[in-house]
Amino acid sequence: MMRIAQAGVVYFALVFGAGFVLGVVRTLWIAPHVGTRLAELIEMPVMLGVILVAARWTVQRLSVPAQPSLRLGMGLLALGLLLVAELSLVLGLRGLTLEAYLATRDPVAGTVYYLMLGVFTLMPLFVGRR
């Protein structure tokens, strides 16, 4: 169980760290030129690659067994940490309530973002299989 918890934390840290850096680049340099929606949509394929590489690396490096319940546990823990960190940072930095944050999400980019959260959660199930 400790290995799964460690894997979830590592997976979260890798994806969150990359997402944080990409978010800064998106907000400061891309969005002013193409708009928020397009900037977020441009970022999504890059984040998909980050998620894939981070999941594969974590599963292999920490030897996470291919048992679906363990891999799903890793993904769910990482998702929980990601939501807590992201909501804490976003709400704290922007001074928004959760309701206001959800109301300001772009309907297209927001939907893709929520789908990506699902991909993030499930990716450990699909990587590192032989």
Side-chain angles (χ1 to χ4, degrees):
M1 260 337 212
M2 283 304 290
R3 184 182 306 160
I4 302 311
Q6 182 183 19
V9 170
V10 168
Y11 180 45
F12 150 74
L14 291 171
V15 174
F16 183 75
F20 185 83
V21 171
L22 289 171
V24 170
V25 170
R26 172 181 38 86
T27 303
L28 296 179
W29 292 293
I30 298 173
H33 299 287
V34 300
T36 302
R37 175 187 285 179
L38 186 55
E40 288 179 7
L41 293 174
I42 289 169
E43 181 183 15
M44 293 300 169
V46 178
M47 282 306 300
L48 179 60
V50 167
I51 289 168
L52 176 63
V53 170
R56 182 180 298 142
W57 184 86
T58 304
V59 163
Q60 291 174 349
R61 181 77 175 186
L62 298 179
S63 302
V64 178
Q67 209 173 337
S69 61
L70 298 177
R71 297 273 181 98
L72 187 57
M74 171 188 156
L76 287 169
L77 174 60
L79 175 66
L81 293 170
L82 183 70
L83 291 175
V84 168
E86 188 160 324
L87 291 176
S88 298
L89 278 173
V90 168
L91 300 181
L93 290 175
R94 292 187 185 172
L96 297 173
T97 65
L98 179 59
E99 295 80 19
Y101 169 69
L102 293 174
T104 61
R105 293 289 306 188
D106 178 80
V108 174
T111 300
V112 175
Y113 170 76
Y114 298 131
L115 291 171
M116 288 293 288
L117 290 177
V119 169
F120 170 69
T121 304
L122 297 175
M123 189 61 75
L125 288 169
F126 302 109
V127 297
R129 293 184 173 195
R130 301 213 182 251

